[in-house]
Amino acid sequence: MAGMEENDEFYLRYYVGHKGKFGHEFLEFEFRPDGKLRYANNSNYKNDTMIRKEVFVTPSVLKECRRIVSDSEIMKEDDNNWPEPDRVGRQELEIVMGNEHISFTTSKIGSLMDVQTSKDPEGLRIFYYLVQDLKCFVFSLISLHFKIKPI
Amino acid sequence: MANVEAEAVDFEPEEDDLMDEDIGDGSASSPNRGANAPRLKSAITGGLSSSAPKKTKGRGFRGEASTEAERNARMSGRFDSLDSDGGPGPERSIEGWIVLVSGVHEEAQEDDLQNAFGEFGEIKNLHLNLDRRTGFVKGYALIEYENFEEAQKAISEMDGTELLTQSITVDWAFSKGPFRRRNMRRRSPRGHRSRSPRRRF
């Protein structure tokens, strides 16, 4: 089955967070197969309110998300040689597309320098840019729908 | 089943799943299956399941229980949404109606979209996001119109047309309810599936 088939299953979840003096601060979003987009952002700095939003997106939006993932070729990568999550933070990217299911974890990536000096710069670079592109997509959707600033 | 239910999220089975469904323990039916929202099994529980039909990859499958419990706690709270009747059709956003344009040329400028889409109504907001690596347009745009009619007209007149030599698709961004389950329930394979036990993977 081709990865871009419209009726293929698709699920995506991204998490980034850490535990520090402001508690557990994190950002997480997921696209579910039925179109439900969930977004959660918990920052205890200044105001300790958790933002949790959900909205159903159309198949077209899910398809675009899948295209972004597919074009990135992230499914070919492996997190074996990526930096392990640490005290500074943790990232998780879970994607189901067609008959593949990835669940990658790594530390926070501060800049491209972290990518360059890692043991798998090619793979980590793909992850690094994909995450930014996905965040950008989700932030646009959430901010347009709810008129909030996602971060 | 209930506690599995609470933590695991499953998908619709794929075609290849259907083949081995009949092998199950033969317990009569799974009538409630269609009533549940489609759910995905968390990676952390999913990876170790021997019947997982997917090729899995990544350290997320190592199955740290604390990580999973934490994730369940995070996602189990109440999520805000705008009032919606849950029915079919596009959903209004807080200040207007959002349209997704995909297939946008990587060298497109905001003006190109303004020119093409401005004739259906004033564009209240335009997001033309860039590819973070290349700096070119990522390939989609989100456009906000104030009125339903404007957005509807943009969709019906622009979907499938060409913009800067590329064919674009134009559709609503948000929906009042889920799309997948509704379609699946009405499809004939349902009858076939209903003989098999509720599948966990």
Side-chain angles (χ1 to χ4, degrees):
Chain A
M1 241 184 264
M4 288 297 282
E5 287 301 313
E6 188 122 1
N7 289 323
D8 262 8
E9 344 184 334
F10 180 75
Y11 172 84
L12 183 146
R13 181 180 66 83
Y14 172 73
Y15 162 91
V16 57
H18 72 273
K19 287 160 191 160
K21 61 179 165 184
F22 298 110
H24 184 198
E25 299 186 274
F26 68 92
L27 162 81
E28 184 163 31
F29 55 78
E30 69 176 358
F31 287 92
R32 296 186 172 217
D34 64 349
K36 186 184 274 183
L37 167 62
R38 296 178 117 190
Y39 171 88
N41 184 0
N42 188 41
S43 170
N44 294 329
Y45 179 67
K46 287 184 182 169
N47 60 338
D48 61 350
T49 50
M50 163 96 100
I51 298 170
R52 292 174 194 260
K53 301 285 179 191
E54 66 181 23
V55 60
F56 285 101
V57 298
T58 56
S60 299
V61 168
L62 223 54
K63 191 175 173 190
E64 185 64 10
C65 183
R66 198 164 47 197
R67 179 193 68 84
I68 292 170
V69 169
S70 187
D71 286 0
S72 77
E73 302 194 313
I74 189 74
M75 306 303 278
K76 292 181 185 167
E77 298 304 326
D78 200 314
D79 61 356
N80 257 332
N81 291 313
W82 297 0
E84 295 260 13
D86 56 23
R87 197 175 297 177
V88 178
R90 174 184 187 90
Q91 295 187 84
E92 300 172 7
L93 180 66
E94 178 177 4
I95 301 172
V96 178
M97 199 160 74
N99 66 345
E100 290 177 300
H101 187 169
I102 61 159
S103 182
F104 293 163
T105 65
T106 190
S107 60
K108 284 194 185 177
I109 302 172
S111 68
L112 267 182
M113 187 63 80
D114 296 346
V115 171
Q116 240 85 282
T117 56
S118 77
K119 280 187 271 177
D120 178 19
E122 286 78 17
L124 204 56
R125 187 176 300 113
I126 284 171
F127 174 85
Y128 176 79
Y129 284 117
L130 173 61
V131 162
Q132 290 192 53
D133 286 333
L134 290 171
K135 275 171 150 176
C136 189
F137 188 44
V138 169
F139 290 172
S140 278
L141 289 166
I142 294 292
S143 67
L144 283 169
H145 189 65
F146 292 100
K147 292 294 163 176
I148 56 160
K149 278 226 159 78
I151 269 196
Chain B
M1 183 169 100
N3 61 337
V4 178
E5 192 71 39
E7 303 186 2
V9 192
D10 74 64
F11 275 127
E12 283 293 343
E14 284 196 321
E15 299 305 334
D16 53 345
D17 295 327
L18 294 178
M19 315 250 254
D20 56 18
E21 281 214 334
D22 292 344
I23 302 168
D25 64 15
S27 70
S29 61
S30 56
N32 293 328
R33 187 165 181 135
N36 296 320
R39 305 164 83 201
L40 175 85
K41 183 154 190 152
S42 145
I44 292 130
T45 53
L48 301 174
S49 161
S50 58
S51 61
K54 310 233 169 273
K55 276 190 286 178
T56 59
K57 191 165 58 179
R59 296 187 298 223
F61 291 105
R62 282 183 191 171
E64 298 155 44
S66 61
T67 313
E68 189 193 348
E70 216 172 72
R71 166 170 150 61
N72 287 331
R74 283 201 307 274
M75 295 312 258
S76 63
R78 217 187 85 80
F79 280 65
D80 303 326
S81 56
L82 303 186
D83 285 336
S84 167
D85 58 19
E91 160 127 315
R92 188 184 191 280
S93 297
I94 204 150
E95 287 178 6
W97 297 84
I98 316 295
V99 165
L100 172 77
V101 186
S102 32
V104 178
H105 195 282
E106 65 173 10
E107 293 183 65
Q109 309 275 318
E110 291 203 358
D111 277 356
D112 297 320
L113 284 124
Q114 280 286 353
N115 292 338
F117 287 86
E119 63 174 282
F120 308 105
E122 189 194 339
I123 295 177
K124 310 292 281 185
N125 258 304
L126 169 62
H127 287 206
L128 184 61
N129 293 340
L130 305 182
D131 183 300
R132 294 312 180 97
R133 186 175 59 83
T134 65
F136 287 109
V137 166
K138 189 65 197 171
Y140 65 88
L142 289 156
I143 295 173
E144 178 176 346
Y145 292 101
E146 188 168 353
N147 302 311
F148 175 88
E149 292 73 21
E150 297 166 337
Q152 179 67 76
K153 198 149 189 279
I155 291 168
S156 53
E157 296 204 11
M158 295 302 288
D159 184 35
T161 61
E162 272 195 7
L163 182 69
L164 305 175
T165 74
Q166 276 187 206
S167 172
I168 54 171
T169 59
V170 185
D171 193 6
W172 300 103
F174 300 108
S175 169
K176 285 180 178 171
F179 60 88
R180 186 125 189 214
R181 179 65 62 170
R182 191 182 306 122
N183 296 339
M184 297 300 279
R185 218 183 286 168
R186 286 180 189 152
R187 282 211 325 226
S188 52
R190 181 55 57 192
H192 165 74
R193 285 179 192 177
S194 64
R195 281 184 293 139
S196 57
R198 189 175 174 82
R199 183 183 178 85
R200 315 265 22 137
F201 40 74

